[in-house]
């Protein structure tokens, strides 16, 4: 067994892209630089903390975004390209401070790997800044024995340890500047503003070093031997401009301090904006900020999952690089969200996009199931300890938007995608086994329905509390599952034409069956809207169209499944969305106002305005139905409303939100910052679908 694990790790390491080794891969923290360590999976992490007082509560040390009231504290990624450059500002009215972080990663042939800088822009009362280096313990099969060595001179601080395969030293050179002058540290000066603590952090609590640090602060203790945590505290006085600069290298010992970092940062900001405009064709501030927010949510994690049934993917420890929906509310990977995230990321960082897709596919169980939500570490599970993944539950296969883009625009990736084709087909088969309807003889009927433990809500569909019942009538077939089933089959047929010609005819026949059943049985002739089909349990005698109308009914249009020659159906869908029960000046409601379930349950998908479904509608109108009378005006009106709503809220309140209030005010609500699919506003502004 040990040999098998070692072999797998060796294979992963051989394919490792060194350019992705360091990054801000802990979006749940205020600011952190960490490793995508694919050798031992135990990363070195450098993180920011700050406090205006040290109370008995760990959270008096500001460290994690979910600990904050983010309606007050503004966290603004000014620049973030997801790879090698970002600048972020943290404005905290509670501590009366503004702190800026700058991360610059250098090309792999450079002597320096990265520079990480913490700078105070405004300080109105005394503040303690902490830069904390830890050797984290993610991999329980490889207990970490490395420790830090600390060397302090009057020029700065050098923290060193062995790298992950113990072949060379990693060095972190820390220099502090106060009001543009290098701080001269004197360890014998009792009035020094600088305190250095070397501590041992029990790996069980390693993902949050605050308990260990708090204990050391109150006991005034330090441990120079066997330390896996180094905490550098600098007490900033009002009016001071303080810079804590961390230079990381494993190649040579540089001079302390990076003198021209501001000049380099300014140049990179110009380059970053130029590259953004080159890809998206716009320099719109809202589009750029939205993109930067998405990139700031990129996460790397390693671990296992908690599941209802412990399949192999649950018990296995696996690495994952993925964007996250919200640094505040959802700092963990979500399947169908990531497909939307990558519709943006693939255009700028196709290498990171494909790596994310490969990591997701490699979490697949042996029978083809991919868990839809993956908090793969003790740290991520601490935010949602009750979550258990169910192997009967699936998510919309949005990854195929990404595979389609990569194959069409990056032919150099065709061979690499071909290597995971069989896994994609295994996922496809599992998805249909769990979501499709089969007859008594095991033959696919052509209909699909989301599996779920409850009849009236469904997390797997992605639309959570959207109503699926009517009184005692329950779902028999779901129109969104039907639409995604066709989309999945169509996309697999496109891949099969590249990698598996023998299966193409089978897939095309299945596509025809699904579409025929949708048009024959799920299109209501009374209003020409596709709908869920309901029935009374334990009877098959009579079926009913669901009375609820909203986002679920838009998937045939949004995925381009309506025949463009059925102008009557397309116009009826436009009229439906234009109606006063769905249309607002801020976007389209998720559920009609005349539904009995409007704003009921959690009022999550039963009224609020969400961007991802409207993005699909705009995309489909532009790509598939553009020449139909009335489409262009509808498109322009909806696009204008979405841009105005999302960008005006960002301008006035400083955040992109999870969803927006439909009650004629368009206020952002839900989690914030929501750096996930709300970032699709970048593509809407750029009209890059």
């Amino acid at each position: 067994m040990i040999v098998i694990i070692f072999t797998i790790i060796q294979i992963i390491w051989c394919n490792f892209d060194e350019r992705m080794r360091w990054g801000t891969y802990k979006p749940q923290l205020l600011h952190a630089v960490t490793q995508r360590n694919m050798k031992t999976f135990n990363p070195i992490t450098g993180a920011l903390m700050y406090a205006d007082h040290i109370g008995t509560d760990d959270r008096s040390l500001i460290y994690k975004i979910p600990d904050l009231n983010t309606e007050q504290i503004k966290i603004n990624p000014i620049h973030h390209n997801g790879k090698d450059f970002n600048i972020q500002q943290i404005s905290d009215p509670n501590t009366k401070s503004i702190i800026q972080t700058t991360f610059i990663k250098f090309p792999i042939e450079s002597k320096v790997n990265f520079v990480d800088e913490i700078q105070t822009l405004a300080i109105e009362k005394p503040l303690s800044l902490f830069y904390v280096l830890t050797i984290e313990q993610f991999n329980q099969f490889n207990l970490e024995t490395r420790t830090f060595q600390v060397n302090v001179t009057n020029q700065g601080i050098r923290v060193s340890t062995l790298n992950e395969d113990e072949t060379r030293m990693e060095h972190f050179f820390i220099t502090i500047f106060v009001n543009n002058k290098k701080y001269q540290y004197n360890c014998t000066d009792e009035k020094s503003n600088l305190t250095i603590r070397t501590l041992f952090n029990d790996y069980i609590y390693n993902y949050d070093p605050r308990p260990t640090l708090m204990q050391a602060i109150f006991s005034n203790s330090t441990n120079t031997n066997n330390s896996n945590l180094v905490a550098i505290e600098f007490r900033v006085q009002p009016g001071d401009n303080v810079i804590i600069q961390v230079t990381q290298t494993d190649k040579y010992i540089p001079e302390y301090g990076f003198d021209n970092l501001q000049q380099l940062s300014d140049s990179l900001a110009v380059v970053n904006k130029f590259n953004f405009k080159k890809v998206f064709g716009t320099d719109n501030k809202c589009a750029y900020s939205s993109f930067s927010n998405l990139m700031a949510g990129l996460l790397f994690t390693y671990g296992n999952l908690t599941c209802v049934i412990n399949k192999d993917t649950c018990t296995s420890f696996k690495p994952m690089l993925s964007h996250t929906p919200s640094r505040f509310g959802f700092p963990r990977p979500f399947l169908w969200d990531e497909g939307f995230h990558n519709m943006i990321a693939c255009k700028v960082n196709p290498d990171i996009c494909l790596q994310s897709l490969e990591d997701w596919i490699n979490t697949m169980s042996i029978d083809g199931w991919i868990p839809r939500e993956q908090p793969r570490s003790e740290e991520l599970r601490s935010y949602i300890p009750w979550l258990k993944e169910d192997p009967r539950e699936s998510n919309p296969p949005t990854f195929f938007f990404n595979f389609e883009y990569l194959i069409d625009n990056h032919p150099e990736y065709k061979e690499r995608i071909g290597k995971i084709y069989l896994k994609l087909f295994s996922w496809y088969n599992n998805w249909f086994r769990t979501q499709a309807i089969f007859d008594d003889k095991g033959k696919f009927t052509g209909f699909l329905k989301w599996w779920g433990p409850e009849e009236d809500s469904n997390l797997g569909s992605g639309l959570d509390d959207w109503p699926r019942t009517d009184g005692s009538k329950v779902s028999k077939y779901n129109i969104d599952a039907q639409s995604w089933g066709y989309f999945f089959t169509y996309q697999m047929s496109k891949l099969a034409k590249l990698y598996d010609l023998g299966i193409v005819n089978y897939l095309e026949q299945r596509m025809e069956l699904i579409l025929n059943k949708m048009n024959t049985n799920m299109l209501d002739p009374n209003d020409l809207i596709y709908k869920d089909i309901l029935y009374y349990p334990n009877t098959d005698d009579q079926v009913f169209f669901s009375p609820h109308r909203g986002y679920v009914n838009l998937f045939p249009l949004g995925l381009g499944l309506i025949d463009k020659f059925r102008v009557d159906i397309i116009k009826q869908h436009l009229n439906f969305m234009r109606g006063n029960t769905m249309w607002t000046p801020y976007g389209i409601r998720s559920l009609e106002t005349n539904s009995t379930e409007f704003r009921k349950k959690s009022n999550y998908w039963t009224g609020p305005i969400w961007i991802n479904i409207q993005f699909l509608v705009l995309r489909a109108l532009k790509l598939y139905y553009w020449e139909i009378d009335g489409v262009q005006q509808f498109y322009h009106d909806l696009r204008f409303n979405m841009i105005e709503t999302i960008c005006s809220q960002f301008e006035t309140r400083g955040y992109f939100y999870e969803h927006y209030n439909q009650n004629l005010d368009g206020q952002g609500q839900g989690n914030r910052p929501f750096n996930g699919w709300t970032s699709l506003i970048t593509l809407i502004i750029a009209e890059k679908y």
Side-chain angles (χ1 to χ4, degrees):
M1 183 63 182
I2 294 175
V3 175
I4 293 173
I5 293 173
F6 178 75
T7 303
I8 292 171
I9 290 175
Q10 284 294 103
I11 291 171
I12 293 172
W13 182 251
C14 288
N15 293 327
F16 178 63
D17 188 340
E18 184 72 21
R19 294 170 301 172
M20 299 182 195
R21 183 166 176 251
W22 291 99
T24 54
Y25 298 142
K26 284 199 163 211
Q28 70 274 21
L29 304 185
L30 282 175
H31 172 72
V33 177
T34 189
Q35 289 175 303
R36 182 171 165 263
N37 177 344
M38 299 294 287
K39 187 73 174 181
T40 67
F41 302 102
N42 296 326
I44 301 172
T45 298
L48 163 70
M49 297 183 194
Y50 67 86
D52 61 351
H53 70 285
I54 308 297
T56 55
D57 185 346
D58 290 343
R59 286 187 293 180
S60 65
L61 290 171
I62 308 300
Y63 175 57
K64 294 182 180 179
I65 291 179
D67 291 339
L68 306 178
N69 180 343
T70 54
E71 201 61 64
Q72 295 181 14
I73 298 176
K74 300 297 184 220
I75 302 162
N76 181 20
I78 299 172
H79 307 282
H80 205 309
N81 65 9
K83 298 185 77 168
D84 52 26
F85 175 62
N86 68 73
I87 295 178
Q88 172 186 247
Q89 283 188 6
I90 304 162
S91 302
D92 187 344
N94 300 316
T95 60
K96 297 185 177 180
S97 63
I98 300 175
I99 300 169
Q100 179 168 288
T101 67
T102 301
F103 172 71
I104 299 173
K105 188 163 59 174
F106 295 86
I108 55 176
E109 63 272 13
S110 303
K111 291 182 178 180
V112 171
N113 293 326
F114 70 78
V115 174
D116 188 26
E117 183 176 273
I118 313 297
Q119 180 178 7
T120 61
L121 299 184
I123 300 293
E124 295 185 22
K125 62 180 181 178
L127 187 76
S128 288
L129 280 183
F130 293 83
Y131 196 88
V132 180
L133 283 162
T134 57
I135 303 173
E136 300 198 77
Q137 183 73 52
F138 280 6
N139 187 357
Q140 69 179 27
F141 302 109
N142 191 336
L143 295 182
E144 191 58 66
T145 59
R146 291 179 296 165
T147 58
F148 284 126
Q149 302 168 18
V150 180
N151 180 39
V152 182
T153 71
N154 63 355
Q155 293 296 307
I157 306 154
R158 185 176 77 211
V159 180
S160 306
T161 188
L162 286 167
N163 70 337
E164 53 266 36
D165 56 2
E166 300 188 358
T167 59
R168 61 186 188 272
M169 295 297 289
E170 301 269 13
H171 300 290
F172 299 83
F173 296 89
I174 301 159
T175 311
I176 298 173
F177 299 88
V178 181
N179 299 326
N180 299 318
K181 294 182 179 180
K182 189 177 291 186
Y183 183 79
Q184 302 292 318
Y185 177 58
N186 184 348
C187 60
T188 62
D189 183 1
E190 295 182 358
K191 296 182 179 180
S192 171
N193 287 333
L194 178 66
T195 302
I196 303 168
R197 296 180 176 87
T198 55
L199 309 166
F200 178 75
N201 194 35
D202 190 312
Y203 77 88
I204 295 173
Y205 305 105
N206 205 13
Y207 58 83
D208 192 341
R210 287 180 295 183
T212 300
L213 182 55
M214 290 282 287
Q215 184 179 6
I217 290 172
F218 280 106
S219 63
N220 197 27
S221 64
T222 188
N223 169 27
T224 55
N225 299 316
N226 199 33
S227 65
N228 61 6
L229 187 157
V230 177
I232 296 154
E233 177 187 2
F234 193 86
R235 289 168 290 281
V236 184
Q237 301 306 312
D240 280 350
N241 177 272
V242 173
I243 295 174
I244 299 176
Q245 195 179 95
V246 182
T247 304
Q248 197 282 335
T249 180
D250 54 6
K251 300 178 180 70
Y252 87 125
I253 299 178
E255 294 292 327
Y256 284 90
F258 206 102
D259 294 335
N260 61 341
L261 190 68
Q262 184 62 55
Q263 181 180 349
L264 176 61
S265 177
D266 291 343
S267 299
L268 288 174
V270 173
V271 171
N272 209 49
K273 286 187 173 183
F274 174 83
N275 290 337
F276 177 85
K277 186 174 183 180
K278 183 178 179 181
V279 171
F280 294 106
T282 180
D283 55 5
N284 179 277
K285 179 182 177 182
C286 179
Y288 184 78
S289 296
S290 168
F291 167 76
S292 297
N293 270 265
L294 174 65
M295 295 299 107
L298 186 62
L299 171 142
F300 177 74
T301 187
Y302 175 81
N304 61 352
L305 294 174
T306 303
C307 300
V308 173
I309 302 170
N310 276 330
K311 285 182 170 282
D312 54 307
T313 187
C314 304
T315 56
S316 299
F317 280 62
K318 298 189 177 188
M320 176 172 280
L321 182 73
S322 179
H323 305 85
T324 55
S326 171
R327 296 174 66 187
F328 174 76
F330 301 118
R332 56 189 179 276
F334 285 73
L335 194 157
W336 89 304
D337 300 60
E338 183 65 355
F340 286 114
H341 303 158
N342 274 330
M343 292 180 82
I344 306 164
C346 285
K347 290 177 170 58
V348 180
N349 299 322
D351 50 349
I352 291 179
C353 170
L354 182 53
Q355 185 62 61
S356 167
L357 293 169
E358 288 175 331
D359 283 2
W360 271 97
I361 299 304
N362 287 330
T363 66
M364 183 185 300
S365 67
I366 196 169
D367 62 354
W369 172 59
I370 303 178
R372 67 174 187 84
E373 192 171 344
Q374 300 210 25
R376 283 191 175 271
S377 70
E378 291 294 333
E379 178 175 11
L380 298 184
R381 280 195 293 276
S382 70
Y383 296 106
I384 187 166
W386 50 265
L387 178 68
K388 291 187 177 182
E389 292 298 302
D390 194 311
R392 293 165 292 184
E393 201 168 54
S394 290
N395 235 187
T398 53
F399 291 166
F400 283 87
F401 289 122
N402 315 144
F403 286 120
E404 182 177 47
Y405 175 83
L406 290 173
I407 287 173
D408 290 347
N409 294 276
H410 293 276
E412 68 272 21
Y413 291 140
K414 283 185 180 179
E415 182 180 354
R416 190 166 155 188
I417 293 171
K419 291 178 180 179
I420 60 174
Y421 169 77
L422 291 179
K423 283 192 172 185
L424 294 175
F425 199 75
S426 179
W427 179 28
Y428 173 80
N429 284 332
N430 178 277
W431 198 92
F432 267 79
R433 278 198 304 272
T434 54
Q435 312 306 310
I437 306 297
F438 297 88
D439 63 20
D440 294 339
K441 296 181 180 180
K443 184 179 179 181
F444 175 47
T445 63
F447 292 109
L448 294 102
K449 173 187 179 295
W450 297 111
W451 179 89
E454 300 175 8
E455 288 288 355
D456 200 30
S457 60
N458 194 285
L459 296 176
S461 71
L463 304 183
D464 297 18
D465 64 344
W466 204 91
R468 301 287 181 171
T469 62
D470 179 34
S472 57
K473 294 191 287 288
V474 300
S475 286
K476 189 176 182 69
Y477 315 128
N478 295 139
I479 188 58
D480 50 337
Q482 193 82 6
S483 302
W484 285 116
Y486 180 92
F487 172 84
F488 206 163
T489 307
Y490 169 72
Q491 293 292 339
M492 284 305 305
S493 73
K494 287 187 66 176
L495 290 182
K497 289 173 184 177
L498 293 174
Y499 307 116
D500 190 10
L501 282 172
I503 201 72
V504 172
N505 187 54
Y506 164 78
L507 292 170
E508 289 180 344
Q509 289 179 5
R510 177 173 277 190
M511 286 162 51
E512 186 178 349
L513 175 62
I514 295 170
L515 197 60
N516 180 59
K517 293 293 186 181
M518 186 183 84
N519 287 323
T520 304
N521 298 83
M522 306 183 78
L523 180 65
D524 188 339
N526 294 314
D527 58 9
L528 295 183
I529 300 296
Y530 293 94
K531 296 176 180 176
D532 278 3
I533 302 298
L534 309 181
Y535 77 116
Y536 288 107
N538 305 316
T539 69
D540 286 319
D541 297 330
Q542 190 175 11
V543 295
F544 308 86
F545 289 110
S546 171
H548 308 297
R549 301 196 310 174
Y551 283 173
V552 160
N553 310 88
L554 301 181
F555 282 96
L557 177 73
L559 294 176
L561 308 189
I562 303 175
D563 188 334
K564 65 181 180 180
F565 295 108
R566 288 301 308 266
V567 175
D568 55 339
I569 297 176
I570 295 165
K571 285 192 172 183
Q572 192 58 27
H573 278 72
L574 298 184
N575 293 335
F576 161 55
M577 291 185 284
R578 276 278 197 196
N580 58 16
T581 59
M582 287 288 286
W583 186 267
T584 80
Y586 310 102
I588 298 170
R589 296 182 176 98
S590 45
L591 185 65
E592 279 190 301
T593 56
N594 58 5
S595 168
T596 56
E597 298 301 315
F598 179 65
R599 298 185 66 187
K600 299 289 180 64
K601 304 177 188 175
S602 302
N603 191 26
Y604 202 45
W605 291 88
T606 58
I609 296 164
W610 296 75
I611 189 174
N612 60 326
I613 309 302
Q614 294 172 91
F615 168 80
L616 290 178
V617 169
L618 289 170
R619 176 180 181 273
L621 295 179
K622 188 74 169 178
L623 297 182
Y624 310 127
Y625 308 117
W626 192 243
E627 299 305 321
I628 295 173
D629 183 47
V631 162
Q632 295 183 24
Q633 187 61 54
F634 182 94
Y635 170 91
H636 291 308
D637 291 346
L638 179 58
R639 177 175 175 268
F640 175 85
N641 288 351
M642 293 307 301
I643 294 172
E644 186 68 19
T645 298
I646 292 168
C647 295
S648 65
Q649 285 291 291
F650 175 71
E651 286 293 327
T652 57
R653 299 173 70 189
Y655 282 120
F656 296 99
Y657 286 81
E658 184 179 9
H659 47 81
Y660 294 81
N661 192 344
Q662 55 76 37
N663 194 23
L664 300 184
D665 61 12
Q667 289 285 302
Q669 54 191 23
N671 285 295
R672 74 280 173 197
F674 196 81
N675 40 277
W677 59 40
T678 300
S679 298
L680 291 167
I681 196 64
T682 296
L683 300 183
I684 292 173
I685 291 170
E687 297 188 274
K688 297 285 187 180
Y689 300 114

